[in-house]
Amino acid sequence: MSMILSWALFPLVLAAVGLGWGALVDWAAGEHELGVLAIPLGLAGAIVVAGILTIASFSAPAAAPVVAAGALLGLARAWRRTRLAPAAIVAAVGVLLVYGAPVILSGQATFLGYVRLDDTATWLGFIDQFFAHGRALSALPSSTYQLLLSTNLTTAGYPSGSFLLPGVGHWITGVDAAWVFQPYLGVCAAALALCCWELLAPIGASDWLRAFVAFIAAQSALLVGYAAWGGIKELTAAFLLALGFALAARLLAVANPRPRATFPLAVAGAAIVVTLGPGAAVYLGPAVLALLAVAIWRWRRGGQPAFGLLAAVPLTAALALPSWLTLSAYVKTNTAFVATNVDHATAYGNLTGPLRAIQLAGVWIDGDFRSFPSPPPSFVNHLLIYCVFAGAIFALGWTLRQRSGGLALYVGVALVSLAVLSLEGSVPWVIGKSLAISSPAVLLAGLAGGAILFKGERAAGVIVGVLMLGAVAGGVLWSNYLQYHNVSLAPRPRLAELQTIGTMISGKGPTFLNEYEIYGDRHFLRAAAPVEPAEYRSVNLPTLGNAFLTDPAWANIDAFGLGTLTPYRSLVIRVGPTESEPPSIYGTKPVWAGRYYELWQQPARPKQRVFEHVPLGDTLNDAYCGNASNVQPPNSPLCPIAPAARASCPQVLSLAAQATADGGHLLAYERPNPIVVRATDTSWSSG
């Protein structure tokens, strides 16, 4: 059922939202036939509306209901007014399935990129916050979740656009944002396919040939690779960028469009700004200059003031209100875009090195877009890349001769944006994002060249077109197949237990999560003020040896003193043979136990208190494993594996005397030590 809700219901809901809002935007622009562009345009409109409503805390809870209500109103108008080409819809559904294949074939509704990039946990936290309180954090108690949001939303002014449609879909379907995250990326890719289908209109090919080209073009290997890492901004911006140029191509086909007709283009532009923040300037700047050049050229050529095209500029600025309000914080904080200002780790992020410009072609026959294909695939890889480039040059020349500028604008702005970033000396991870966003443009142009040859009248051209389309399509699909073998699926059963616990302890915090699991403190347990010893936190949680753990270190619960644990009402620990039971302030049995986690809680009104908690076993000797600060040496390679030990008689007598003096009881846990062998203590033969 969860798979159906995530990969069938959620995409249908977003398609309905897009179609409904597309009809409303079309009505505002003067009733033009949008066709398949209605869906991606409506999604852009929903981003703009939700972005404005989630600025303030008082309006944030209304964002999803307003978007849903507007979609219903628009659907009433779209009925029998909007024509959706079956071929384009088939291409979009195919792209959705391609992007979702690794998850769908796993049989579990989960997401990709687990432990590859921890950003997805942050994105889920953003989605939760925007639709609850907007950017206002005053209602949140101190926790890892609150600190994360304060750093990114308040201090850094992080743009909100990428997170708004998943939040709307979550509100409508009731499916947790974690389980619709990957389907949302698939929806973005499907919307990209619809935009590519529209951009191919000038080549005069059949609907099904256009659908095939759009289906392949939306699967650029670099974009698929970023989707497998949770690249929510890249996927959102990719379809919005293509949408903008598909709409611009329609406007360019009109001699002097009325200002009202530019409203859809303004909506797409504002959605890009809300998604990328000031970074959108590298795309919108060249696009505005191109439109200005077209307007001047038409004016001087025909004597008509063709400046109606530029009406989209002030409309875009007005609709992009959220970005203006966060501009100051964003500019002050995000100074790490220039490579000379940062260290190597900040410059490259999770990249192993700079990505290559030839990856724009959309073919990369390697399981990891960060590495270089090895022979013999490298020869085929480069041959296909040069085929794409050759086809793109031919297609751009052909379409410009036909006085159709949409595809040329799309490719030109994509390349100019990369040139600007490179000349500025931007850090490699920023350029990598731009490469991913821009790559569908070059791949689409290359495939368009093959499609133009295929539909020609000359037999030689048809043969070349077939070979080019088949070879490039095969290279793209091969690239994606290899990436499927390199994905990292999130462990849904374990995370689902955190989701269950999160519903049980909502409002019953603060919570101590004794594990490095960022999806717990940034999303699933957020309503219970969670903190982790080794995670982003507002307080120090020292071990008995006064070590402050850093990611992804771990320590037995007995390694934390009673004073460290007492402030936390709820305690979530992993089920495992080497884990100790917590102090008896949390009771003698867990409140809830699953396969992976146990939930322990202090009573709301404790009837007893613990004077002293004495750990046994190897907790004192091997207090933690991993990295820590405030101690030397900072790294401890050995995890504690023996939680039990025989207490000495003097120790028991001393504790008993103390209990007698305090009028209390002496409580001891009894358990055998697990049979554990450290892998570092073993030797293995070469076989």
Side-chain angles (χ1 to χ4, degrees):
M1 179 60 72
S2 60
M3 183 68 74
I4 295 174
L5 292 175
S6 296
W7 286 97
L9 178 61
F10 178 80
L12 285 174
V13 164
L14 283 196
V17 168
L19 188 58
W21 277 96
L24 293 180
V25 174
D26 184 38
W27 168 75
E31 296 283 2
H32 302 283
E33 176 54 49
L34 287 172
V36 297
L37 284 185
I39 294 177
L41 176 59
L43 294 177
I47 288 174
V48 171
V49 172
I52 294 173
L53 290 174
T54 53
I55 291 174
S57 59
F58 69 87
S59 59
V66 168
V67 170
L72 289 175
L73 181 63
L75 284 172
R77 290 191 58 84
W79 182 253
R80 296 183 180 178
R81 279 191 173 98
T82 304
R83 298 179 181 179
L84 302 177
I89 299 301
V90 169
V93 173
V95 169
L96 174 72
L97 295 176
V98 167
Y99 275 76
V103 174
I104 296 172
L105 294 176
S106 74
Q108 296 179 340
T110 184
F111 54 90
L112 304 178
Y114 184 77
V115 306
R116 287 290 180 84
L117 199 64
D118 64 4
D119 288 354
T120 301
T122 302
W123 307 154
L124 296 176
F126 288 178
I127 294 170
D128 301 326
Q129 175 64 18
F130 279 127
F131 288 87
H133 306 288
R135 293 181 182 269
L137 307 179
S138 58
L140 296 178
S142 177
S143 66
T144 296
Y145 178 67
Q146 185 272 340
L147 183 60
L148 173 83
L149 297 179
S150 175
T151 302
N152 288 279
L153 300 186
T154 303
T155 304
Y158 204 92
S160 63
S162 304
F163 317 109
L164 301 175
L165 290 176
V168 170
H170 157 65
W171 184 85
I172 296 175
T173 63
V175 181
D176 190 273
W179 317 133
V180 298
F181 182 86
Q182 208 66 38
Y184 169 69
L185 301 186
V187 168
C188 289
L192 171 62
L194 296 178
C195 298
C196 290
W197 192 87
E198 177 66 23
L199 283 163
L200 291 169
I203 70 174
S206 68
D207 282 3
W208 290 103
L209 179 57
R210 287 167 63 188
F212 173 75
V213 172
F215 169 72
I216 299 298
Q219 299 177 52
S220 162
L222 192 52
L223 195 62
V224 171
Y226 269 78
W229 275 29
I232 191 169
K233 271 207 308 186
E234 292 78 11
L235 269 293
T236 305
F239 97 79
L240 290 173
L241 189 66
L243 170 65
F245 290 108
L247 293 169
R250 288 194 171 198
L251 285 175
L252 291 173
V254 181
N256 185 25
R258 296 161 54 191
R260 181 181 177 184
T262 65
F263 185 65
L265 182 59
V267 169
I272 293 176
V273 175
V274 175
T275 297
L276 296 179
V282 298
Y283 299 105
L284 297 187
V288 170
L289 291 176
L291 290 177
L292 178 61
V294 170
I296 294 174
W297 178 77
R298 285 186 174 181
W299 174 54
R300 298 192 63 179
R301 184 172 178 270
Q304 294 182 351
F307 293 100
L309 289 167
L310 301 178
V313 177
L315 284 173
T316 298
L319 292 173
L321 178 63
S323 291
W324 293 113
L325 296 178
T326 58
L327 179 62
S328 176
Y330 187 92
V331 172
K332 287 180 181 178
T333 306
N334 292 278
T335 58
F337 292 160
V338 181
T340 55
N341 294 341
V342 297
D343 57 24
H344 183 276
T346 305
Y348 287 91
N350 281 55
L351 299 178
T352 55
L355 299 183
R356 298 160 179 83
I358 58 174
Q359 290 180 267
L360 277 171
V363 178
W364 203 248
I365 305 176
D366 193 277
D368 190 337
F369 64 85
R370 299 172 301 171
S371 58
F372 199 82
S374 56
S378 61
F379 172 77
V380 178
N381 184 74
H382 283 64
L383 180 63
L384 294 176
I385 285 173
Y386 295 133
C387 282
V388 172
F389 289 155
I393 294 171
F394 171 70
L396 294 179
W398 190 91
T399 53
L400 288 174
R401 284 184 59 190
Q402 302 298 315
R403 299 185 183 278
S404 173
L407 188 61
L409 274 175
Y410 185 25
V411 175
V413 169
L415 296 179
V416 168
S417 67
L418 286 168
V420 169
L421 290 173
S422 299
L423 292 174
E424 281 185 345
S426 296
V427 295
W429 65 261
V430 172
I431 295 177
K433 288 174 177 289
S434 187
L435 283 168
I437 294 169
S438 303
S439 59
V442 177
L443 179 57
L444 176 65
L447 290 165
I452 293 169
L453 291 172
F454 176 77
K455 75 178 186 63
E457 297 180 355
R458 297 182 179 180
V462 173
I463 294 173
V464 172
V466 170
L467 292 176
M468 179 180 292
L469 289 173
V472 173
V476 170
L477 296 175
W478 186 6
S479 301
N480 296 341
Y481 172 76
L482 293 176
Q483 290 195 82
Y484 287 170
H485 291 274
N486 197 35
V487 298
S488 177
L489 285 165
R492 179 188 169 95
R494 181 164 65 78
L495 296 183
E497 285 196 5
L498 287 177
Q499 181 184 0
T500 299
I501 294 173
T503 61
M504 297 174 63
I505 63 175
S506 177
K508 298 178 181 179
T511 300
F512 188 101
L513 173 58
N514 190 33
E515 181 186 30
Y516 182 75
E517 179 48 87
I518 57 176
Y519 291 91
D521 61 61
R522 299 186 188 184
H523 175 59
F524 291 112
L525 306 181
R526 64 191 181 278
V531 295
E532 295 178 16
E535 234 280 77
Y536 208 43
R537 59 189 185 272
S538 56
V539 294
N540 287 319
L541 302 171
T543 64
L544 293 172
N546 207 34
F548 302 147
L549 305 188
T550 59
D551 61 271
W554 175 84
N556 189 301
I557 196 65
D558 257 355
F560 300 97
L562 194 60
T564 299
L565 297 177
T566 300
Y568 297 94
R569 182 181 176 191
S570 297
L571 174 63
V572 180
I573 62 176
R574 277 295 293 268
V575 173
T578 64
E579 182 64 274
S580 296
E581 290 193 9
S584 54
I585 54 172
Y586 292 98
T588 57
K589 290 183 179 180
V591 174
W592 182 90
R595 179 180 178 184
Y596 301 96
Y597 293 99
E598 290 179 345
L599 169 63
W600 298 73
Q601 281 188 318
Q602 297 187 46
R605 296 181 179 179
K607 297 181 180 179
Q608 61 182 16
R609 64 190 181 95
V610 177
F611 289 96
E612 187 173 356
H613 178 77
V614 180
L616 300 172
D618 62 359
T619 297
L620 297 177
N621 298 325
D622 300 323
Y624 67 92
C625 53
N627 294 320
S629 61
N630 206 44
V631 291
Q632 289 296 333
N635 179 265
S636 175
L638 300 180
C639 290
I641 60 173
R646 187 183 299 276
S648 66
C649 287
Q651 187 178 29
V652 173
L653 290 172
S654 174
L655 290 170
Q658 182 181 349
T660 301
D662 293 331
H665 300 278
L666 184 62
L667 175 65
Y669 295 112
E670 186 176 4
R671 63 175 291 183
N673 268 323
I675 300 174
V676 176
V677 177
R678 288 193 173 100
T680 52
D681 295 337
T682 63
S683 60
W684 300 81
S685 65
S686 59

